[in-house]
Every structure is written in structure tokens, then in C-alpha cells.
Amino acid sequence: MLFLTLPALAQEVDLELVLLADASGSIDQEEIEFQRQGYATAITHPDVLYAISSTLTGTIAVTYVEWAANQVVVVDWAVIDGPEAAQDFAARLLIPPRLATGRNAIGAALLEGKRLIEDNQITSLRQVIDFSSDSVGNFSGPRIADARAEVLAAGITINGLPILRDGRAQDLALAYEAMIIGGPGAFVVAATSRDTFAAAVRRKLVLEIAGTPKGMDLAQADQS
């Protein structure tokens, strides 16, 4: 009798979400740890867990990647289907050392997010790259416009979390709108200070998981 080995079935979730976090030279070690803690706090928050449970499948898949001149997966793809899975993801996020170094390579980071979505064994209704940084400088690798166009052509939405530091805050948010975000329902939610970072991440995750209309007013998103 002939036995055939069939390929494993891909897991189906509502959303595949790549969290692309800035680890370039302008982000010091304390800020690396602060960002990771902010995402760990957000992914385990009741509002985020409720948003996940309210999706069609009750699940999302998420990976956390730090980027600079290179890109490093801090936590590989994990399916979040409730508090236990969220707590496990959060705990693993706080362990690895910093491995991404150098100046900004935003185009390369966006393309790495696309690759991670396309190369996993997960199928989903929606695919989103959640990009954060404190500037839109691009010092090596592909041009932002070219990388962005390639990501959007693949049907992947890019949302933005600008980290606002000084009087140029509004300029950075507008630059994100013009240069970074795109795709169905794309939006920007700004982190205006260290004190509001975790809350901004939480709002952004809730909006991404639930979906939000393209062109949402930034102030409206910030108050959600």
C-alpha cells in the first residue's frame, strides 16, 4: 500500500500582524526595553483581547521585529487566541538582547515585513505591517517609495506609529501619512510621550484588529 505525506494545512486567522519596531541608533537601550514593555502591556490588555475574540476567527497571528540597518525577529509568529497565548508572547518579547543596529533602512524593513507574511504557514483575511520609528530618514537599502509600493501591491496594509520627540511632532505625523502608510483602512496613531506610549500602542492594536476606515482623523484615532 502506498502512503502519501500531505503538506500541513496552513493555520487560518483573522489578521497577520507584523510589529516593526525602531531599534536604530536614535533609540537607546532603555528605549528598546520601554518599547518592548509597551507592546507586552498592550497585547495582554483586556481591550486588545476583547478585540481579538470579536474577530471572525477569534484569532490573530503576530510577530515582533526590530529594525535598523538590519532586521531581527525578536518573537516569531505566534497565534493569539486568548489571555494565555498573549501572556506567553509578552513574556518572550522581554527576553532577547538587542540585535538590530545602525542607521535607518526603512525600505528594507518594510520588505522584511512583507517577506515574513508571505513565507509563513498562516492564512488570513487581512495582512498588516505596523511600522514605528522616530523619523523617516532612510540611509541604506531600497527607497521607501519603492518598498512601500511593493508591499501595497501585495495587498498588505501599512499602519504607522510615529514616536514624537520634539517640536517637529506634527511634521513627522504628516510625513508618515505621505510616505509610510497605505492600503485599506491605513491610519496613523502617534505616541506623543513616554507616558502615553503603551496607551497609543493599545489603541493602535485595537483599531488594527477591528479594522478602521481609511482616512480616519488622527485626533479621532488618538482618542479611541
Side-chain angles (χ1 to χ4, degrees):
M1 181 179 293
L2 178 64
F3 292 92
L4 298 177
T5 301
L6 298 177
L9 294 176
Q11 177 148 8
E12 183 174 1
V13 299
D14 195 84
L15 170 68
E16 290 170 85
L17 179 61
V18 178
L19 303 174
L20 276 181
D22 191 351
S24 62
S26 60
I27 306 294
D28 63 27
Q29 182 60 36
E30 182 182 358
E31 289 171 316
I32 290 287
E33 295 169 1
F34 181 78
Q35 287 182 154
R36 291 187 187 183
Q37 185 61 62
Y39 278 95
T41 299
I43 198 72
T44 56
H45 192 278
D47 290 351
V48 173
L49 294 174
Y50 178 78
I52 294 171
S53 69
S54 300
T55 64
L56 186 63
T57 65
T59 59
I60 68 168
V62 60
T63 182
Y64 189 95
V65 180
E66 287 176 344
W67 65 270
N70 61 327
Q71 310 88 38
V72 178
V73 174
V74 178
V75 182
D76 206 350
W77 285 107
V79 174
I80 310 297
D81 57 2
E84 185 175 344
Q87 289 287 353
D88 179 70
F89 184 90
R92 289 190 289 131
L93 179 55
L94 303 178
I95 296 172
R98 175 181 190 156
L99 296 173
T101 59
R103 303 183 76 181
N104 287 7
I106 293 175
L110 293 175
L111 292 180
E112 176 65 2
K114 172 178 177 287
R115 185 194 69 78
L116 289 168
I117 288 172
E118 294 178 338
D119 287 357
N120 65 32
Q121 296 300 309
I122 301 167
T123 61
S124 64
L125 302 176
R126 296 178 294 128
Q127 302 83 42
V128 172
I129 292 172
D130 179 332
F131 178 85
S132 67
S133 75
D134 62 0
S135 79
V136 290
N138 195 51
F139 298 99
S140 64
R143 296 173 61 245
I144 295 174
D146 295 340
R148 177 179 178 273
E150 187 172 333
V151 171
L152 299 184
I156 300 168
T157 294
I158 306 169
N159 294 327
L161 179 71
I163 302 170
L164 309 182
R165 293 177 177 274
D166 52 34
R168 298 179 297 105
Q170 186 61 27
D171 291 341
L172 182 58
L174 292 174
Y176 258 63
E177 286 195 305
M179 300 172 60
I180 302 294
I181 71 168
F187 63 89
V188 171
V189 172
T192 56
S193 71
R194 287 177 65 94
D195 293 339
T196 62
F197 181 80
V201 171
R202 182 178 73 246
R203 288 193 297 271
K204 191 163 187 291
L205 289 179
V206 169
L207 291 172
E208 284 166 335
I209 293 164
T212 187
K214 184 176 176 65
M216 169 183 269
D217 180 78
L218 294 184
Q220 178 185 348
D222 193 54
Q223 295 166 5
S224 297

